[in-house]
């Protein structure tokens, strides 16, 4: 399992343009808002958490198509399923690799972006705290959607259509936690959703991978 | 290494179509089985079913006395798989695909160790995929058209690799169109 993760990370490092594309998309999309809405700090600071959250969600979707797509096309998926890991284990490693190469960098870049959007400095750590389960949930649900749409025509279009509705509860509680005066309840809700998705999403993804490989 | 690997009355559906049925064979330790048949006869489907990738409609696969497909990860550890695709990643170099230098040398790739896989020819990629099988140290090799794209010299190397594997009690099940020199191999016509 560790060997597969190391290999995935090495591949991501060698093909770092793919990884960088998602991060640049995040930066550029979030930068467009001040241009469209004007530089008024009051307006920006109110909507900043929402902008960061939505842009991070959309950016994290970008690498999902290649998450299994490349392995499916070149025959590596068969080898992964025959590597001695369970199909759910393969999906879990892929989820981890996606989070480490996309979710974590997004989380780090979100800090300077939120400052740029005039968020009060004392709110930034809380926003990052909500994005931690947020990006993890997106990696989990995104891996599931990527394996379900594997081999389908237009999978790149289908995948956001499956992932984004599933992410709505996360988005609601994530943004609520980032802006509420008492964020504990919303944070606990996020944690509860993470605890649900952590075992279930890789299992579902594994079943979908087996079906795709048939 | 244990065995034998026994198939009883296998049948496989692809979609709504019955690809084959009533396939039975037994491969003893050190044995080999060649799958032959026209395109679309179901050679690849049979190999995928033997690996546990495609579901069997009926029939039973036995590893020794136990049901081979009962636990798929356990079965996966017994087999080395070579599909019709080479599963070679362009971004990695040859030595990152197959660490075992003896396996690379056995297929004539020893001097390509640090070469990016992107620069390999089609035949060399096939040899790299075969080197991965040779390095796997598993008893049962399932190979879909292993000689695709190989020249005569490489086929000779491959024959030697097969012989060494079988001498250790390993089994080879391969589909092929070209003549493949596997002494005392059984032939299954689909």
């Amino acid at each position: 399992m560790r060997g597969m993760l190391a290999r995935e990370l090495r591949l991501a490092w060698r093909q770092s343009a793919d990884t960088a594309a998602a991060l640049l998309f995040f930066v550029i999309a979030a930068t467009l808002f001040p241009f469209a809405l004007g530089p008024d700090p009051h307006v920006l600071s109110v909507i900043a958490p929402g902008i960061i959250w939505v842009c991070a969600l959309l950016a994290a979707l970008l690498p999902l198509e290649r998450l299994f797509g490349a392995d499916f096309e070149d025959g590596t998926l068969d080898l992964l399923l025959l590597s001695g890991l369970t199909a759910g284990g393969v999906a879990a490693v892929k989820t981890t690799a996606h989070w480490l190469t996309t979710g974590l960098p997004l989380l780090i870049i979100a800090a300077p972006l939120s400052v740029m959007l005039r968020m009060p400095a004392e709110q930034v750590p809380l926003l990052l705290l909500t994005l931690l389960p947020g990006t993890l949930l997106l990696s989990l649900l995104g891996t599931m959607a990527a394996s379900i749409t594997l081999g389908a025509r237009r999978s790149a279009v289908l995948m956001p259509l499956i992932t984004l509705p599933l992410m709505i509860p996360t988005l609601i509680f994530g943004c609520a936690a980032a802006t509420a005066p008492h964020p504990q309840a919303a944070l606990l809700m996020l944690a509860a959703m993470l605890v649900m998705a952590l075992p279930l999403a890789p299992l579902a993804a594994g079943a979908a991978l087996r079906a795709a490989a048939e | 290494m244990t065995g034998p690997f026994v198939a009883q009355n296998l049948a496989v559906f692809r979609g709504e179509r019955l690809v084959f049925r009533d396939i039975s064979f037994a491969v003893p330790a050190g044995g080999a089985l060649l799958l032959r048949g026209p395109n679309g006869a179901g050679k690849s489907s049979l190999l995928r079913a033997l690996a546990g990738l495609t579901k069997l409609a009926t029939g039973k696969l036995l590893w020794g006395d136990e049901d081979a497909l009962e636990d798929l990860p356990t079965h996966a550890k017994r087999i080395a798989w070579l599909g019709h695709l080479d599963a070679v990643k362009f971004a990695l170099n040859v030595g990152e695909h197959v660490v075992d230098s003896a396996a690379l040398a056995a297929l004539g790739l020893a001097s390509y160790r640090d070469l990016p896989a992107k620069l390999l020819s089609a035949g060399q990629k096939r040899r790299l995929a075969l080197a991965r099988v040779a390095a796997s140290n598993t008893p049962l090799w399932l190979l879909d058209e292993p000689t695709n794209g190989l020249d005569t010299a490489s086929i000779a190397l491959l024959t030697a690799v097969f012989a060494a594997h079988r001498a250790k009690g390993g089994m080879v099940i391969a589909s092929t169109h070209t003549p493949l020199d596997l002494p005392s191999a059984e032939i299954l016509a689909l």
Side-chain angles (χ1 to χ4, degrees), chain A residues 26 44-57 117 119 123-135 137 167-191 193:
Chain A
F26 180 47
L44 284 179
S45 68
V46 171
I47 58 173
I51 294 174
I52 299 279
W53 257 87
V54 171
C55 291
L57 287 194
L117 291 171
M119 256 185 95
Q123 282 186 19
V124 174
L126 183 58
L127 175 70
L128 298 186
L129 185 63
T130 63
L131 275 173
L132 180 65
T135 47
L137 272 162
M167 282 304 288
I168 289 174
T170 314
L171 184 66
I172 293 172
F173 288 105
C175 285
T179 53
H182 303 291
Q184 198 192 6
L187 277 175
L188 286 175
M189 196 65 200
L190 277 180
M193 289 193 281

Side-chain angles (χ1 to χ4, degrees), chain A residues 98-158:
Chain A
H98 177 261
W99 187 75
L100 287 175
T101 57
T102 313
L104 187 61
L106 285 177
L107 192 64
I108 293 166
I109 291 193
L113 269 183
S114 55
V115 172
M116 187 195 80
L117 291 171
R118 302 301 185 100
M119 256 185 95
E122 65 272 16
Q123 282 186 19
V124 174
L126 183 58
L127 175 70
L128 298 186
L129 185 63
T130 63
L131 275 173
L132 180 65
T135 47
L136 280 167
L137 272 162
L138 187 90
S139 291
L140 286 161
L141 296 175
T143 308
M144 190 178 77
S147 39
I148 289 171
T149 54
L150 196 58
R153 243 161 31 90
R154 303 240 167 229
S155 63
V157 183
L158 266 176

